[in-house]
């Protein structure tokens, strides 16, 4: 499975540059570029760390489930409304 698109989306949503992400991951910028383009193997530990650093656990779940990034936002909005409704009822 290719995770590069999820990683790139997570980095961009966090407002991180490739250079900054590389420093957080203790990698070179070219390594970050290759990971985002699925041109380099991505270890599970690196993927999880990336998602935690960018606070993108939703994307981590989406990638694991094979969900398309573009369909993720509407799902999150619906779930958010459901949770808010449940909290109000309690």
């Amino acid at each position: 499975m290719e995770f590069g698109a999820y990683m790139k989306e997570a980095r961009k949503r966090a407002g991180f540059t490739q250079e900054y992400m590389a420093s957080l991951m203790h990698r070179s910028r070219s390594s970050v570029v290759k990971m985002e383009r699925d041109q380099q193997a991505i270890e599970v530990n690196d993927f999880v760390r990336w998602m935690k650093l960018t606070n993108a656990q939703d994307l981590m779940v989406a990638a694991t489930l094979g969900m398309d990034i573009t369909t993720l936002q509407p799902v999150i909005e619906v779930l958010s409304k459901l949770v808010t409704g449940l909290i109000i009822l309690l």
Side-chain angles (χ1 to χ4, degrees):
M1 183 176 281
E2 297 178 349
F3 295 110
Y6 297 94
M7 296 169 78
K8 184 176 182 177
E9 178 67 19
R11 177 184 59 77
K12 286 184 164 192
R13 282 189 353 191
F16 297 168
T17 63
Q18 289 175 331
E19 291 83 5
Y20 185 65
M21 196 73 220
S23 70
L24 291 175
M25 294 294 294
H26 306 288
R27 305 285 177 133
S28 66
R29 181 183 169 275
S30 65
S31 179
V32 166
V33 170
K34 288 177 183 175
M35 284 191 277
E36 289 183 350
R37 293 182 179 169
D38 291 313
Q39 296 173 338
Q40 177 175 318
I42 300 165
E43 299 291 325
V44 172
N45 291 338
D46 288 336
F47 180 72
V48 171
R49 184 163 182 251
W50 184 299
M51 293 302 176
K52 285 183 178 180
L53 289 169
T54 57
N55 196 28
Q57 287 82 356
D58 59 329
L59 289 176
M60 183 168 54
V61 170
T64 305
L65 296 175
M67 292 178 66
D68 185 349
I69 292 174
T70 58
T71 62
L72 185 60
Q73 189 59 38
V75 171
I76 291 172
E77 289 174 12
V78 168
L79 289 175
S80 177
K81 289 177 183 176
L82 286 172
V83 169
T84 301
L86 288 173
I87 291 171
I88 291 171
L89 288 174
L90 298 175

